[in-house]
Amino acid sequence: MSVPPRIGFIGLGIMGRAMAANLVKAGFNVSVYNRDRAKAAPFEEKGCGRASTPAELAKRCDVVITMVSDPTALDAVLEGPTGVFSAGFAGCLLMNMSTVSVEYTRRLMKRCFEERVKFIDCPVSGSRPLAENGTLVLLAGGEAEDIEAVRPALSAMGKAVIHAGPAPGGTALKLCVNLIIAGVTSALAESAALAGTLGLDPRLIFSVLSENPALNCAYFRMKERNILEGDFAPAFALKHMLKDVRFMLKEAGGRGQALPVTAAIEKLMSESERAGDGEMDLTVIHRRLSRRG
Ligand code: NAP
């Protein structure tokens, strides 16, 4: 691996584009790949390399970072004749930062082991503003020496690295943390719907939350405008949280662990997705709750 490593970044969506931009800002040699080529153009303008395929990207890099939607997207960029694994990537390091299941991460670890590729699972906690400020919390699973090798790059994207033991520890920790976010967001949306039903201005809820030091949380302030103004432009799309909630239920169910609150949230979010709201911010569940009366 060259020092500093040549980094290939795959997935320039809401999160990936901000994270890759912070790597460029920190002076790393970054090349990018995105399925929709238009999203790579701003990086080319900054002097980054743009690859036409994930394999072409992997050939010119020591570290490949993936930040795509889900397992289907990861398979699309890793496997097949133009995927990362077709590039002869042995000895290099793959760091998946997308949120996927523990089961998928285990399979990916095995695949990397067979290909003699080092692997870290490193999903992130924090949404678009934290990605843009480089203050994400990074939940890393892997060998300590591999994490140390990429620590300068991690520091460019996040303010803290929590080492959750060997992979798939990062993914397991991410699902536990997102369970809380799913619950808190659903509670906010439901509370605002109840306020409306009781003839109260839902703004009052946010006033109480911000005045009470035990409840004054930046997440509530981030989501306040979405709920009060009905502006559901996505920072974290409902479809991605629903994917995570389903991973939680599947992993828990397979081990005999009941998650009754998460199961109810899955039902609520599925209804919104079926109504065509999957691409909107996850707070969009408030719209259906308040229409239901
Ligand atoms: P996003 O804006 O929807 O971006 C998704 C990325 O995946 C895009 O680059 C997209 O490429 C790519 N992609 C999707 N399907 C693909 C396929 N079949 N083949 C190749 N590329 C494909 O998502 P995001 O919000 O950045 O989230 C990315 C990951 O981070 C997800 O796993 C999400 O759960 C997780 N996450 C998100 C947040 C958040 O607040 N947004 C926070 C923490 C973690 P195109 O541009 O070509 O569509």
Short mmCIF file of all heavy atoms in Angstrom, two decimals, residues 36-92:
data_model
loop_
_atom_site.label_atom_id
_atom_site.label_comp_id
_atom_site.label_asym_id
_atom_site.label_seq_id
_atom_site.Cartn_x
_atom_site.Cartn_y
_atom_site.Cartn_z
N ASP A 36 -24.24 6.74 -11.93
CA ASP A 36 -24.68 7.91 -12.69
C ASP A 36 -23.45 8.83 -12.81
O ASP A 36 -23.05 9.46 -11.84
CB ASP A 36 -25.83 8.58 -11.93
CG ASP A 36 -26.20 9.95 -12.51
OD1 ASP A 36 -25.59 10.37 -13.50
OD2 ASP A 36 -27.11 10.59 -11.93
N ARG A 37 -22.90 8.87 -14.02
CA ARG A 37 -21.61 9.54 -14.22
C ARG A 37 -21.67 11.03 -13.89
O ARG A 37 -20.65 11.62 -13.50
CB ARG A 37 -21.16 9.40 -15.68
CG ARG A 37 -20.87 7.97 -16.08
CD ARG A 37 -20.77 7.86 -17.58
NE ARG A 37 -19.69 8.72 -18.08
CZ ARG A 37 -18.72 8.30 -18.87
NH1 ARG A 37 -18.69 7.05 -19.25
NH2 ARG A 37 -17.79 9.11 -19.28
N ALA A 38 -22.86 11.62 -14.02
CA ALA A 38 -22.97 13.08 -13.81
C ALA A 38 -22.51 13.46 -12.40
O ALA A 38 -21.94 14.54 -12.20
CB ALA A 38 -24.41 13.52 -14.03
N LYS A 39 -22.72 12.56 -11.43
CA LYS A 39 -22.35 12.90 -10.04
C LYS A 39 -20.83 12.91 -9.84
O LYS A 39 -20.34 13.42 -8.84
CB LYS A 39 -23.01 11.92 -9.06
CG LYS A 39 -24.51 12.10 -8.98
CD LYS A 39 -25.14 11.17 -7.95
CE LYS A 39 -26.65 11.20 -8.08
NZ LYS A 39 -27.31 10.09 -7.41
N ALA A 40 -20.10 12.31 -10.79
CA ALA A 40 -18.63 12.29 -10.68
C ALA A 40 -18.02 13.56 -11.26
O ALA A 40 -16.87 13.89 -10.96
CB ALA A 40 -18.06 11.05 -11.38
N ALA A 41 -18.79 14.28 -12.08
CA ALA A 41 -18.23 15.45 -12.79
C ALA A 41 -17.60 16.49 -11.85
O ALA A 41 -16.48 16.95 -12.11
CB ALA A 41 -19.30 16.07 -13.68
N PRO A 42 -18.27 16.87 -10.72
CA PRO A 42 -17.64 17.87 -9.85
C PRO A 42 -16.29 17.41 -9.31
O PRO A 42 -15.42 18.25 -9.01
CB PRO A 42 -18.65 18.03 -8.70
CG PRO A 42 -19.94 17.49 -9.20
CD PRO A 42 -19.60 16.48 -10.25
N PHE A 43 -16.09 16.10 -9.19
CA PHE A 43 -14.81 15.59 -8.68
C PHE A 43 -13.74 15.69 -9.77
O PHE A 43 -12.59 16.00 -9.48
CB PHE A 43 -14.99 14.16 -8.16
CG PHE A 43 -15.73 14.11 -6.86
CD1 PHE A 43 -17.12 14.06 -6.84
CD2 PHE A 43 -15.05 14.19 -5.66
CE1 PHE A 43 -17.82 14.06 -5.63
CE2 PHE A 43 -15.74 14.21 -4.45
CZ PHE A 43 -17.12 14.14 -4.44
N GLU A 44 -14.15 15.41 -11.01
CA GLU A 44 -13.19 15.56 -12.12
C GLU A 44 -12.73 17.01 -12.21
O GLU A 44 -11.55 17.28 -12.43
CB GLU A 44 -13.89 15.20 -13.44
CG GLU A 44 -13.70 13.74 -13.81
CD GLU A 44 -14.22 13.47 -15.21
OE1 GLU A 44 -15.43 13.68 -15.42
OE2 GLU A 44 -13.42 13.02 -16.05
N GLU A 45 -13.69 17.93 -11.98
CA GLU A 45 -13.34 19.36 -12.04
C GLU A 45 -12.34 19.74 -10.95
O GLU A 45 -11.54 20.66 -11.11
CB GLU A 45 -14.61 20.24 -11.89
CG GLU A 45 -15.42 20.28 -13.18
CD GLU A 45 -16.87 20.68 -12.97
OE1 GLU A 45 -17.17 21.30 -11.93
OE2 GLU A 45 -17.70 20.34 -13.83
N LYS A 46 -12.36 18.97 -9.83
CA LYS A 46 -11.39 19.25 -8.75
C LYS A 46 -10.07 18.52 -8.99
O LYS A 46 -9.20 18.52 -8.12
CB LYS A 46 -11.96 18.76 -7.41
CG LYS A 46 -13.02 19.65 -6.83
CD LYS A 46 -13.48 19.08 -5.49
CE LYS A 46 -14.84 19.61 -5.11
NZ LYS A 46 -15.59 18.75 -4.21
N GLY A 47 -9.95 17.82 -10.12
CA GLY A 47 -8.70 17.14 -10.45
C GLY A 47 -8.64 15.69 -10.04
O GLY A 47 -7.58 15.05 -10.13
N CYS A 48 -9.75 15.12 -9.60
CA CYS A 48 -9.76 13.69 -9.23
C CYS A 48 -9.88 12.83 -10.48
O CYS A 48 -10.45 13.26 -11.48
CB CYS A 48 -10.96 13.36 -8.33
SG CYS A 48 -10.97 14.26 -6.80
N GLY A 49 -9.39 11.61 -10.38
CA GLY A 49 -9.59 10.66 -11.47
C GLY A 49 -11.03 10.16 -11.44
O GLY A 49 -11.62 10.04 -10.37
N ARG A 50 -11.57 9.89 -12.62
CA ARG A 50 -12.92 9.29 -12.66
C ARG A 50 -12.81 7.99 -13.45
O ARG A 50 -12.30 7.99 -14.58
CB ARG A 50 -13.92 10.22 -13.34
CG ARG A 50 -15.33 9.62 -13.33
CD ARG A 50 -16.31 10.42 -14.16
NE ARG A 50 -15.97 10.48 -15.58
CZ ARG A 50 -16.14 9.47 -16.43
NH1 ARG A 50 -16.65 8.32 -16.04
NH2 ARG A 50 -15.79 9.61 -17.70
N ALA A 51 -13.23 6.90 -12.84
CA ALA A 51 -13.14 5.60 -13.52
C ALA A 51 -14.48 5.29 -14.18
O ALA A 51 -15.54 5.68 -13.68
CB ALA A 51 -12.79 4.52 -12.51
N SER A 52 -14.42 4.56 -15.31
CA SER A 52 -15.66 4.18 -16.01
C SER A 52 -16.29 2.95 -15.39
O SER A 52 -17.46 2.69 -15.61
CB SER A 52 -15.40 3.87 -17.47
OG SER A 52 -14.57 4.80 -18.00
N THR A 53 -15.47 2.16 -14.69
CA THR A 53 -16.01 0.96 -14.03
C THR A 53 -15.35 0.82 -12.65
O THR A 53 -14.24 1.35 -12.43
CB THR A 53 -15.68 -0.33 -14.83
OG1 THR A 53 -14.25 -0.51 -14.81
CG2 THR A 53 -16.18 -0.28 -16.26
N PRO A 54 -16.00 0.08 -11.73
CA PRO A 54 -15.35 -0.16 -10.43
C PRO A 54 -14.01 -0.88 -10.57
O PRO A 54 -13.07 -0.61 -9.82
CB PRO A 54 -16.38 -1.03 -9.69
CG PRO A 54 -17.69 -0.71 -10.35
CD PRO A 54 -17.38 -0.44 -11.78
N ALA A 55 -13.90 -1.78 -11.57
CA ALA A 55 -12.64 -2.52 -11.77
C ALA A 55 -11.52 -1.55 -12.14
O ALA A 55 -10.40 -1.63 -11.62
CB ALA A 55 -12.82 -3.58 -12.86
N GLU A 56 -11.83 -0.62 -13.05
CA GLU A 56 -10.82 0.37 -13.48
C GLU A 56 -10.36 1.20 -12.27
O GLU A 56 -9.18 1.50 -12.12
CB GLU A 56 -11.47 1.26 -14.54
CG GLU A 56 -10.51 2.20 -15.23
CD GLU A 56 -11.27 3.23 -16.07
OE1 GLU A 56 -12.18 2.85 -16.83
OE2 GLU A 56 -10.94 4.42 -15.93
N LEU A 57 -11.30 1.52 -11.39
CA LEU A 57 -10.98 2.29 -10.18
C LEU A 57 -10.04 1.48 -9.29
O LEU A 57 -9.01 1.98 -8.82
CB LEU A 57 -12.27 2.61 -9.43
CG LEU A 57 -12.12 3.50 -8.19
CD1 LEU A 57 -12.10 4.97 -8.61
CD2 LEU A 57 -13.26 3.28 -7.21
N ALA A 58 -10.40 0.21 -9.05
CA ALA A 58 -9.63 -0.63 -8.14
C ALA A 58 -8.20 -0.82 -8.64
O ALA A 58 -7.26 -0.89 -7.84
CB ALA A 58 -10.32 -1.98 -7.96
N LYS A 59 -8.03 -0.87 -9.97
CA LYS A 59 -6.68 -1.09 -10.54
C LYS A 59 -5.73 0.04 -10.18
O LYS A 59 -4.53 -0.16 -10.10
CB LYS A 59 -6.78 -1.22 -12.06
CG LYS A 59 -7.12 -2.63 -12.48
CD LYS A 59 -7.12 -2.79 -13.99
CE LYS A 59 -7.79 -4.12 -14.32
NZ LYS A 59 -8.63 -4.07 -15.48
N ARG A 60 -6.29 1.26 -9.98
CA ARG A 60 -5.39 2.38 -9.72
C ARG A 60 -5.35 2.79 -8.24
O ARG A 60 -4.82 3.85 -7.91
CB ARG A 60 -5.74 3.58 -10.60
CG ARG A 60 -7.18 4.01 -10.56
CD ARG A 60 -7.36 5.34 -11.27
NE ARG A 60 -7.91 5.22 -12.61
CZ ARG A 60 -8.78 6.08 -13.14
NH1 ARG A 60 -9.17 7.12 -12.46
NH2 ARG A 60 -9.21 5.92 -14.36
N CYS A 61 -5.93 1.94 -7.35
CA CYS A 61 -6.02 2.35 -5.93
C CYS A 61 -5.49 1.28 -4.97
O CYS A 61 -5.41 0.10 -5.31
CB CYS A 61 -7.46 2.66 -5.57
SG CYS A 61 -8.05 4.11 -6.45
N ASP A 62 -5.15 1.73 -3.73
CA ASP A 62 -4.74 0.80 -2.67
C ASP A 62 -5.91 0.51 -1.74
O ASP A 62 -5.96 -0.53 -1.09
CB ASP A 62 -3.64 1.44 -1.81
CG ASP A 62 -2.50 1.96 -2.64
OD1 ASP A 62 -1.84 1.14 -3.28
OD2 ASP A 62 -2.30 3.20 -2.67
N VAL A 63 -6.81 1.49 -1.63
CA VAL A 63 -7.97 1.36 -0.75
C VAL A 63 -9.20 1.71 -1.57
O VAL A 63 -9.21 2.73 -2.27
CB VAL A 63 -7.87 2.36 0.44
CG1 VAL A 63 -9.15 2.38 1.26
CG2 VAL A 63 -6.67 2.02 1.32
N VAL A 64 -10.20 0.83 -1.52
CA VAL A 64 -11.49 1.17 -2.15
C VAL A 64 -12.54 1.32 -1.05
O VAL A 64 -12.68 0.44 -0.19
CB VAL A 64 -11.92 0.11 -3.19
CG1 VAL A 64 -13.39 0.30 -3.57
CG2 VAL A 64 -11.06 0.21 -4.45
N ILE A 65 -13.23 2.46 -1.08
CA ILE A 65 -14.31 2.72 -0.12
C ILE A 65 -15.63 2.62 -0.88
O ILE A 65 -15.78 3.21 -1.95
CB ILE A 65 -14.17 4.14 0.48
CG1 ILE A 65 -12.86 4.25 1.26
CG2 ILE A 65 -15.37 4.48 1.36
CD1 ILE A 65 -12.57 5.65 1.82
N THR A 66 -16.57 1.86 -0.32
CA THR A 66 -17.90 1.78 -0.94
C THR A 66 -18.91 2.47 -0.03
O THR A 66 -18.94 2.25 1.18
CB THR A 66 -18.31 0.31 -1.16
OG1 THR A 66 -18.01 -0.44 0.02
CG2 THR A 66 -17.58 -0.30 -2.34
N MET A 67 -19.75 3.33 -0.63
CA MET A 67 -20.82 4.02 0.10
C MET A 67 -22.04 4.04 -0.81
O MET A 67 -22.41 5.09 -1.36
CB MET A 67 -20.37 5.44 0.49
CG MET A 67 -21.33 6.14 1.45
SD MET A 67 -21.63 5.15 2.93
CE MET A 67 -22.52 6.27 3.97
N VAL A 68 -22.63 2.85 -0.99
CA VAL A 68 -23.78 2.72 -1.88
C VAL A 68 -25.01 2.31 -1.06
O VAL A 68 -24.93 2.12 0.15
CB VAL A 68 -23.47 1.73 -3.03
CG1 VAL A 68 -22.39 2.28 -3.94
CG2 VAL A 68 -23.09 0.35 -2.50
N SER A 69 -26.15 2.13 -1.76
CA SER A 69 -27.42 1.96 -1.06
C SER A 69 -27.51 0.73 -0.18
O SER A 69 -27.86 0.82 0.99
CB SER A 69 -28.55 1.85 -2.08
OG SER A 69 -28.56 2.92 -2.92
N ASP A 70 -27.24 -0.43 -0.77
CA ASP A 70 -27.67 -1.68 -0.13
C ASP A 70 -26.90 -2.86 -0.72
O ASP A 70 -26.04 -2.67 -1.60
CB ASP A 70 -29.19 -1.84 -0.33
CG ASP A 70 -29.58 -1.74 -1.80
OD1 ASP A 70 -28.72 -1.94 -2.67
OD2 ASP A 70 -30.76 -1.47 -2.09
N PRO A 71 -27.20 -4.10 -0.30
CA PRO A 71 -26.47 -5.25 -0.82
C PRO A 71 -26.54 -5.39 -2.35
O PRO A 71 -25.54 -5.75 -2.98
CB PRO A 71 -27.16 -6.44 -0.14
CG PRO A 71 -27.64 -5.89 1.16
CD PRO A 71 -28.07 -4.49 0.85
N THR A 72 -27.68 -5.06 -2.94
CA THR A 72 -27.79 -5.19 -4.41
C THR A 72 -26.79 -4.25 -5.08
O THR A 72 -26.10 -4.63 -6.04
CB THR A 72 -29.22 -4.84 -4.86
OG1 THR A 72 -30.13 -5.62 -4.10
CG2 THR A 72 -29.44 -5.08 -6.33
N ALA A 73 -26.71 -3.02 -4.55
CA ALA A 73 -25.79 -2.04 -5.12
C ALA A 73 -24.34 -2.48 -4.90
O ALA A 73 -23.49 -2.34 -5.78
CB ALA A 73 -26.03 -0.68 -4.49
N LEU A 74 -24.07 -3.04 -3.72
CA LEU A 74 -22.70 -3.49 -3.44
C LEU A 74 -22.30 -4.63 -4.37
O LEU A 74 -21.20 -4.63 -4.93
CB LEU A 74 -22.59 -3.98 -1.99
CG LEU A 74 -22.06 -3.00 -0.96
CD1 LEU A 74 -21.96 -3.65 0.40
CD2 LEU A 74 -20.70 -2.43 -1.37
N ASP A 75 -23.22 -5.59 -4.55
CA ASP A 75 -22.92 -6.69 -5.49
C ASP A 75 -22.63 -6.12 -6.88
O ASP A 75 -21.73 -6.58 -7.57
CB ASP A 75 -24.11 -7.66 -5.57
CG ASP A 75 -24.14 -8.62 -4.37
OD1 ASP A 75 -23.12 -8.71 -3.66
OD2 ASP A 75 -25.20 -9.24 -4.15
N ALA A 76 -23.41 -5.11 -7.27
CA ALA A 76 -23.25 -4.54 -8.61
C ALA A 76 -21.86 -3.92 -8.80
O ALA A 76 -21.30 -3.97 -9.89
CB ALA A 76 -24.34 -3.49 -8.88
N VAL A 77 -21.30 -3.32 -7.73
CA VAL A 77 -19.98 -2.68 -7.90
C VAL A 77 -18.80 -3.60 -7.56
O VAL A 77 -17.67 -3.32 -7.96
CB VAL A 77 -19.87 -1.35 -7.10
CG1 VAL A 77 -20.90 -0.35 -7.58
CG2 VAL A 77 -19.97 -1.55 -5.60
N LEU A 78 -19.09 -4.70 -6.84
CA LEU A 78 -17.98 -5.57 -6.43
C LEU A 78 -17.81 -6.79 -7.34
O LEU A 78 -16.70 -7.25 -7.58
CB LEU A 78 -18.19 -6.07 -4.99
CG LEU A 78 -18.17 -5.00 -3.90
CD1 LEU A 78 -18.47 -5.61 -2.53
CD2 LEU A 78 -16.81 -4.28 -3.86
N GLU A 79 -18.95 -7.32 -7.83
CA GLU A 79 -18.91 -8.59 -8.56
C GLU A 79 -19.01 -8.37 -10.06
O GLU A 79 -19.20 -7.25 -10.52
CB GLU A 79 -20.07 -9.49 -8.07
CG GLU A 79 -20.06 -9.76 -6.57
CD GLU A 79 -18.86 -10.60 -6.10
OE1 GLU A 79 -18.14 -11.17 -6.96
OE2 GLU A 79 -18.63 -10.68 -4.89
N GLY A 80 -18.87 -9.47 -10.80
CA GLY A 80 -19.05 -9.41 -12.26
C GLY A 80 -17.81 -8.91 -12.96
O GLY A 80 -16.81 -8.55 -12.32
N PRO A 81 -17.86 -8.89 -14.29
CA PRO A 81 -16.65 -8.59 -15.09
C PRO A 81 -16.12 -7.17 -14.91
O PRO A 81 -14.96 -6.91 -15.21
CB PRO A 81 -17.11 -8.82 -16.53
CG PRO A 81 -18.59 -8.86 -16.51
CD PRO A 81 -19.02 -9.24 -15.12
N THR A 82 -16.96 -6.23 -14.43
CA THR A 82 -16.45 -4.86 -14.22
C THR A 82 -16.38 -4.50 -12.74
O THR A 82 -16.16 -3.35 -12.37
CB THR A 82 -17.35 -3.82 -14.95
OG1 THR A 82 -18.67 -3.92 -14.40
CG2 THR A 82 -17.38 -4.03 -16.44
N GLY A 83 -16.58 -5.50 -11.86
CA GLY A 83 -16.58 -5.25 -10.42
C GLY A 83 -15.17 -5.17 -9.84
O GLY A 83 -14.20 -5.60 -10.46
N VAL A 84 -15.09 -4.65 -8.62
CA VAL A 84 -13.80 -4.46 -7.93
C VAL A 84 -13.01 -5.77 -7.88
O VAL A 84 -11.79 -5.80 -8.14
CB VAL A 84 -14.03 -3.92 -6.51
CG1 VAL A 84 -12.76 -3.98 -5.66
CG2 VAL A 84 -14.57 -2.49 -6.55
N PHE A 85 -13.69 -6.89 -7.56
CA PHE A 85 -12.95 -8.16 -7.39
C PHE A 85 -12.34 -8.67 -8.69
O PHE A 85 -11.46 -9.52 -8.66
CB PHE A 85 -13.86 -9.22 -6.77
CG PHE A 85 -14.16 -8.99 -5.32
CD1 PHE A 85 -15.46 -8.96 -4.85
CD2 PHE A 85 -13.13 -8.79 -4.40
CE1 PHE A 85 -15.75 -8.75 -3.50
CE2 PHE A 85 -13.41 -8.55 -3.05
CZ PHE A 85 -14.72 -8.54 -2.60
N SER A 86 -12.84 -8.19 -9.84
CA SER A 86 -12.28 -8.66 -11.11
C SER A 86 -10.94 -7.98 -11.41
O SER A 86 -10.26 -8.31 -12.37
CB SER A 86 -13.26 -8.40 -12.26
OG SER A 86 -13.29 -7.01 -12.53
N ALA A 87 -10.55 -6.99 -10.57
CA ALA A 87 -9.39 -6.14 -10.91
C ALA A 87 -8.06 -6.69 -10.40
O ALA A 87 -7.03 -6.05 -10.60
CB ALA A 87 -9.63 -4.75 -10.35
N GLY A 88 -8.07 -7.85 -9.71
CA GLY A 88 -6.82 -8.32 -9.12
C GLY A 88 -6.44 -7.37 -7.99
O GLY A 88 -5.41 -6.70 -8.05
N PHE A 89 -7.30 -7.30 -6.98
CA PHE A 89 -7.17 -6.30 -5.91
C PHE A 89 -6.45 -6.89 -4.68
O PHE A 89 -6.44 -6.28 -3.61
CB PHE A 89 -8.60 -5.83 -5.56
CG PHE A 89 -8.68 -4.55 -4.80
CD1 PHE A 89 -8.01 -3.41 -5.20
CD2 PHE A 89 -9.46 -4.47 -3.65
CE1 PHE A 89 -8.10 -2.22 -4.47
CE2 PHE A 89 -9.56 -3.30 -2.92
CZ PHE A 89 -8.87 -2.17 -3.34
N ALA A 90 -5.84 -8.08 -4.82
CA ALA A 90 -5.20 -8.75 -3.68
C ALA A 90 -4.17 -7.84 -3.01
O ALA A 90 -3.46 -7.08 -3.67
CB ALA A 90 -4.51 -10.03 -4.16
N GLY A 91 -4.13 -7.90 -1.67
CA GLY A 91 -3.15 -7.12 -0.90
C GLY A 91 -3.67 -5.72 -0.58
O GLY A 91 -3.07 -5.02 0.23
N CYS A 92 -4.75 -5.31 -1.25
CA CYS A 92 -5.30 -3.98 -1.00
C CYS A 92 -6.42 -4.08 0.04
O CYS A 92 -6.66 -5.15 0.59
CB CYS A 92 -5.81 -3.38 -2.31
SG CYS A 92 -4.46 -3.17 -3.48
#
